[in-house]
Amino acid sequence: MKLIIRLFFIIAFISSLVSAQKRNFKVHTIAFYNVENLFDTINDSGKGDDEYLPNGAQAWTSEKYKTKLANIAKVLSEVGTPENPEAPAIIGLAELENRRVLEALIKQPTLIDKGYGIVHFDSRDSRGSDVGFLYLKSAFRPVSYRNIPLVIKDTLKIQEVQLKKKKKPSPKLFTRDQLLVSGLLDGEEIHFIVNHWPSRYGGEKKSSPYREAAAILNRKIIDSLVKINPKAKVITMGDFNDGPYNNSITKVLGAKRYNEELKQGELFNPMDAIFRDGKGTVAYNDAWDLFDQIIMTSSLISKDYSSFRYWKAGIFNAEYLRQPTGKYRGYPLRNANGEAGYSDHFPVYLYLIKEMKYELGLY
């Protein structure tokens, strides 16, 4: 009888140790931010930066530029808090003038100790606006990266030519490149694509073919990665200038609203549910839209957290990022009247998590 009692307590003790093992997760924040014209004060030949020069429409001085840098750096240092107090491991950016502004950005007091690296290419965008990629050197190691240009026929100009009955070559529209960065996040291969799709200039309906062309290119990039590895983990993020409900996202790119519907290689868009909850990243005519999105392949959706998986997504819209008063109260606090603000977009983010196994509190 004593032996049975002793065995019972031994089993109970072992069980308590097992149950006491904590579930500990490594968390990384992935963020995207359209920083609205992060331009310096130097005139770049061939770029449409005249507005952001000291003698330009914005009277863009060194002091205003420094204020803008400090503002953006503050946001990037806080995206993803409070769930993850660590700075984002990966940051996609849009509306950058050049590499110089990125180098100045990561040297700001709130970011300099983070140890960010840069991936950037000059695009052939007519205005000289680029996308960029920042990464924590302690967490991510780029293995390959390239910029993939989007060159499409400018259908609006083609219509003008046809109306004037002039025989001219089909005009082409050069817009922002799509930036593909492949690398190792804590030793695990993940691919990131940073986008800034064509604007709605000329109206949503007339300009939608441009964004659909961007979606076709984006889908081709993703499919090429999935063809090499059917379980490839791919995250495409950016300012798509379309919402989660537009054809470019739902039909051309094929991003789905529910992750339960996914087949291997298909895409999940967590921003859809956020938009349906009445939230957005841009405001116009007292209505919110959600152009800034982070979308991922099905390989990041699983309850097996032995490798990095998607946890949840959100919009970072802290109070200081909003207009405090006036007609546009609550809107993003953007550059206005020649003064440096933050941006006309709120940043978005998601968390990738991986379970860290350990016993008795020791790794």
Side-chain angles (χ1 to χ4, degrees):
M1 185 67 180
K2 290 183 180 179
L3 180 60
I4 294 173
I5 294 173
R6 180 178 291 181
L7 286 172
F8 172 81
F9 279 110
I10 291 173
I11 293 171
F13 176 71
I14 293 173
S15 298
S16 67
L17 289 179
V18 172
S19 63
Q21 292 179 6
K22 299 178 181 178
R23 293 193 74 190
N24 189 56
F25 290 90
K26 177 66 179 179
V27 183
H28 279 310
T29 302
I30 312 299
F32 172 80
Y33 196 15
N34 178 328
V35 293
E36 191 197 11
N37 299 322
L38 183 53
F39 279 43
D40 59 26
T41 60
I42 302 170
N43 187 11
D44 278 355
S45 177
K47 290 197 173 187
D49 62 350
D50 291 352
E51 182 182 358
Y52 282 87
L53 295 175
N55 60 351
Q58 298 291 331
W60 199 240
T61 64
S62 294
E63 288 305 312
K64 291 178 182 178
Y65 174 50
K66 290 176 182 178
T67 299
K68 176 80 171 185
L69 286 171
N71 286 350
I72 299 302
K74 172 180 171 63
V75 176
L76 297 183
S77 70
E78 296 179 4
V79 170
T81 58
E83 287 94 338
N84 183 17
E86 295 183 5
I90 303 293
I91 302 172
L93 297 168
E95 291 201 18
L96 309 164
E97 183 180 9
N98 48 44
R99 186 183 179 92
R100 282 196 306 269
V101 300
L102 285 173
E103 291 173 344
L105 181 62
I106 63 174
K107 291 177 182 176
Q108 293 300 298
T110 50
L111 293 181
I112 194 169
D113 65 336
K114 311 298 183 187
Y116 276 110
I118 297 171
V119 179
H120 169 267
F121 293 92
D122 285 317
S123 74
R124 290 185 288 177
D125 174 61
S126 58
R127 189 168 171 272
S129 179
D130 302 337
V131 296
F133 182 89
L134 301 180
Y135 62 94
L136 285 181
K137 295 177 183 178
S138 60
F140 184 77
R141 180 170 67 86
V143 174
S144 66
Y145 40 86
R146 62 191 180 107
N147 60 324
I148 303 161
L150 173 64
V151 182
I152 52 181
K153 290 183 178 180
D154 190 337
T155 55
L156 295 180
K157 289 184 179 179
I158 291 171
Q159 289 171 3
E160 292 175 6
V161 169
Q162 289 172 342
L163 287 172
K164 294 177 181 178
K165 297 182 179 179
K166 293 181 179 180
K167 292 183 179 180
K168 291 184 178 181
S170 296
K172 291 182 178 179
L173 175 69
F174 292 91
T175 187
R176 277 82 53 169
D177 298 338
Q178 296 185 13
L179 175 58
L180 170 63
V181 182
S182 301
L184 302 176
L185 182 65
D186 287 345
E188 185 175 328
E189 184 180 64
I190 302 184
H191 310 272
F192 298 93
I193 310 169
V194 186
N195 304 264
H196 188 185
W197 289 4
S199 75
R200 294 190 168 197
Y201 179 78
E204 178 187 348
K205 186 175 181 180
K206 286 185 177 180
S207 61
S208 63
Y210 302 163
R211 291 183 295 282
E212 290 176 9
I216 290 171
L217 175 61
N218 203 241
R219 184 74 247 191
K220 285 181 178 178
I221 297 169
I222 295 169
D223 287 344
S224 68
L225 296 169
V226 173
K227 185 176 181 180
I228 296 170
N229 176 12
K231 296 183 179 180
K233 293 182 176 180
V234 185
I235 292 176
T236 184
M237 57 182 165
D239 174 2
F240 295 99
N241 270 306
D242 268 341
Y245 52 87
N246 283 113
N247 286 345
S248 62
I249 302 294
T250 59
K251 294 184 178 179
V252 183
L253 195 59
K256 297 185 180 298
R257 175 185 176 189
Y258 299 109
N259 57 25
E260 293 85 358
E261 298 176 352
L262 295 180
K263 297 177 182 177
Q264 189 165 288
E266 290 186 328
L267 300 176
F268 169 57
N269 187 1
M271 314 311 292
D272 192 308
I274 294 174
F275 176 72
R276 290 173 187 271
D277 196 34
K279 300 174 183 176
T281 56
V282 292
Y284 181 72
N285 284 343
D286 293 327
W288 286 99
D289 216 324
L290 211 166
F291 291 170
D292 307 272
Q293 301 168 64
I294 307 179
I295 301 169
M296 71 205 77
T297 51
S298 59
S299 295
L300 283 159
I301 308 298
S302 174
K303 293 181 180 179
D304 175 11
Y305 294 104
S306 59
S307 64
F308 280 114
R309 308 291 184 183
Y310 165 73
W311 178 26
K312 61 180 179 178
I315 299 171
F316 185 69
N317 55 3
E319 189 67 30
Y320 68 82
L321 287 175
R322 308 176 199 173
Q323 292 277 1
T325 59
K327 179 181 178 181
Y328 301 109
R329 182 181 179 184
Y331 282 33
L333 183 57
R334 62 178 302 179
N335 300 342
N337 301 319
E339 295 302 320
Y342 291 87
S343 173
D344 55 349
H345 293 242
F346 291 140
V348 292
Y349 63 92
L350 63 74
Y351 301 114
L352 297 182
I353 61 173
K354 178 169 67 173
E355 189 170 4
M356 309 297 288
K357 297 287 187 180
Y358 66 100
E359 296 179 359
L360 301 181
L362 298 174
Y363 287 97

